[in-house]
Amino acid sequence: MAGSVSEDKQKKTAGSSGADTNVDPLTPVLRISQLDALELDSALEQLVWTQFSQCFQNCRPGLLTPLEPELRALLQLLIWRFTLYSNSATVGQSILSLRYHSRLSSSRRYRPLSRRQKFSLALLTAGPRWLQDRSHSLLLFLGLGTGGPISQTDSGFQQGIRRCLAFVSGIIQLASLFNFLVFLRKGTHPVLAERIVGVQAVFSKPNVVRDVSYQYMNRELLWHGFAEFLIYLLPLINTRKLKTTIHSVLFGREGKGGEEAGDGHRVWRECGLCGEWPTMPHTVGCQHVFCYYCIKSHSIADAYLTCPKCGAEAGQPEPVKMEVEMEGR
């Protein structure tokens, strides 16, 4: 029984090592793939935090605010435990068929990360973020608040500590910038923590062939052709005139009858375009009235503008002239 168990373990380890031998660390990984993996990891962390926050949406507002940095770090460590610690790959890398390779060994074959490297990556990833979120509280607790410039009342020790912290922060930012420029040049280590720990992103399945079915390709080609046809055709169609024609055919008779039966000044009470009370009322040759800015902007956009109510060809906008009769009591 023990011999069969040991044989099964040897088969499993042989199978896993055989899968790892297919990984070629010398095959370069695209820069955009490494950056996409980082973006996917960030999106996953934000999604987990959003779902976690919704669990407390019915509680008192601001309940999680005092402990938000610690909770974010805890969730990030949980994600690290079930992704990077388990198979030497983050979620974004798994989606893009990538994984981490240890560069500390001189072997050209794939080498998984050691526990020390995994813990170092977790510390260098979650630690600086937590320190950044908690820096203000920690400095206030130590009496080194950064609310303003260094004052004369501060002791020499406090001034030295504040200058040292500012210098270290600037060095870290400069090192991150320099590391990113080197990454753009050589294509490895997009994050400074990867270079410090000695890990590199490689393909987990470099020989995988992407099989695109004929039906999928045919559907995509058909859709792209139809989209290009619409992009070419739609600018040639006067949609306003088409809409006006359809509106006049469907509701023209009913609208005229309603206007004749109703108040004669009803058409003067609303703009034919925005439907509000006309501001600086103007007309274009028909009985309908429009706001000056509405009809002017539409006439500039469409040289062959027609009235949206009756379909008549629009002329030059002219101000409405009304005769008012004053009757004495």
Side-chain angles (χ1 to χ4, degrees):
M1 184 67 180
S4 62
V5 173
S6 62
E7 290 179 359
D8 293 339
K9 289 183 179 179
Q10 291 178 359
K11 289 181 180 180
K12 291 181 180 179
T13 55
S16 60
S17 62
D20 292 340
T21 55
N22 294 329
V23 179
D24 185 10
L26 299 179
T27 303
V29 180
L30 295 177
R31 297 170 177 82
I32 188 63
S33 298
Q34 301 182 54
L35 295 178
D36 286 343
L38 295 176
E39 290 295 329
L40 290 173
D41 295 336
S42 178
L44 174 65
E45 294 175 6
Q46 185 61 34
L47 178 62
V48 172
W49 172 253
T50 302
Q51 296 296 326
F52 179 77
S53 301
Q54 288 181 356
C55 297
F56 299 89
Q57 61 181 354
N58 295 326
C59 299
R60 177 176 56 84
L63 179 64
L64 301 180
T65 302
L67 299 177
E68 182 174 347
E70 287 75 17
L71 293 176
R72 284 183 178 271
L74 178 61
L75 292 177
Q76 190 174 1
L77 291 177
L78 288 176
I79 296 174
W80 165 83
R81 169 60 183 85
F82 295 103
T83 56
L84 183 60
Y85 185 81
S86 301
N87 55 2
S88 298
T90 63
V91 176
Q93 290 177 341
S94 301
I95 295 175
L96 300 177
S97 299
L98 302 177
R99 65 189 312 180
Y100 276 129
H101 162 68
S102 176
R103 299 190 63 182
L104 299 181
S105 62
S106 58
S107 176
R108 293 188 176 182
R109 294 183 178 181
Y110 172 77
R111 300 285 297 182
L113 303 185
S114 62
R115 287 189 176 182
R116 181 179 298 179
Q117 289 177 316
K118 294 177 181 179
F119 280 104
S120 300
L121 273 179
L123 180 62
L124 293 176
T125 302
R129 295 182 183 178
W130 179 81
L131 285 176
Q132 184 179 3
D133 295 337
R134 279 298 183 191
S135 59
H136 183 69
S137 301
L138 293 176
L139 291 177
L140 289 179
F141 177 76
L142 297 175
L144 302 173
T146 58
I150 299 175
S151 60
Q152 297 179 356
T153 58
D154 293 339
S155 63
F157 176 75
Q158 292 178 343
Q159 295 179 7
I161 291 295
R162 292 180 59 179
R163 290 195 182 98
C164 181
L165 292 176
F167 178 75
V168 171
S169 177
I171 290 296
I172 293 175
Q173 294 179 3
L174 184 61
S176 300
L177 176 60
F178 181 75
N179 176 78
F180 187 75
L181 294 177
V182 175
F183 163 72
L184 295 179
R185 177 67 178 85
K186 297 184 177 182
T188 56
H189 309 300
V191 182
L192 184 60
E194 297 180 3
R195 189 178 299 275
I196 295 175
V197 177
V199 298
Q200 178 183 352
V202 296
F203 286 108
S204 59
K205 299 177 181 179
N207 297 325
V208 173
V209 179
R210 184 180 179 184
D211 186 14
V212 181
S213 62
Y214 175 76
Q215 293 81 2
Y216 175 79
M217 186 180 298
N218 189 23
R219 183 171 66 250
E220 287 296 319
L221 291 175
L222 181 62
W223 169 251
H224 283 293
F226 180 68
E228 291 179 358
F229 174 73
L230 290 180
I231 292 174
Y232 173 78
L233 181 63
L234 287 179
L236 303 178
I237 300 176
N238 191 343
T239 55
R240 291 191 183 93
K241 189 172 183 179
L242 180 63
K243 180 180 178 181
T244 302
T245 303
I246 296 175
H247 187 274
S248 61
V249 170
L250 296 178
F251 307 103
R253 295 180 180 178
E254 182 179 355
K256 291 181 181 179
E259 289 177 359
E260 291 177 359
D263 188 3
H265 296 285
R266 181 180 179 182
V267 295
W268 305 89
R269 297 178 180 176
E270 64 179 16
C271 173
L273 292 171
C274 66
E276 301 294 335
W277 188 276
T279 303
M280 300 174 60
H282 279 65
T283 182
V284 290
C286 60
Q287 61 179 352
H288 298 96
V289 178
F290 309 91
C291 300
Y292 171 74
Y293 295 105
C294 292
I295 192 61
K296 191 63 178 179
S297 59
H298 281 72
S299 62
I300 293 175
D302 186 5
Y304 303 98
L305 181 66
T306 57
C307 177
K309 293 293 186 180
C310 59
E313 295 184 1
Q316 291 295 329
E318 298 180 357
V320 175
K321 298 180 180 179
M322 299 182 64
E323 296 181 358
V324 179
E325 296 181 0
M326 302 294 295
E327 296 182 358
R329 293 183 178 179

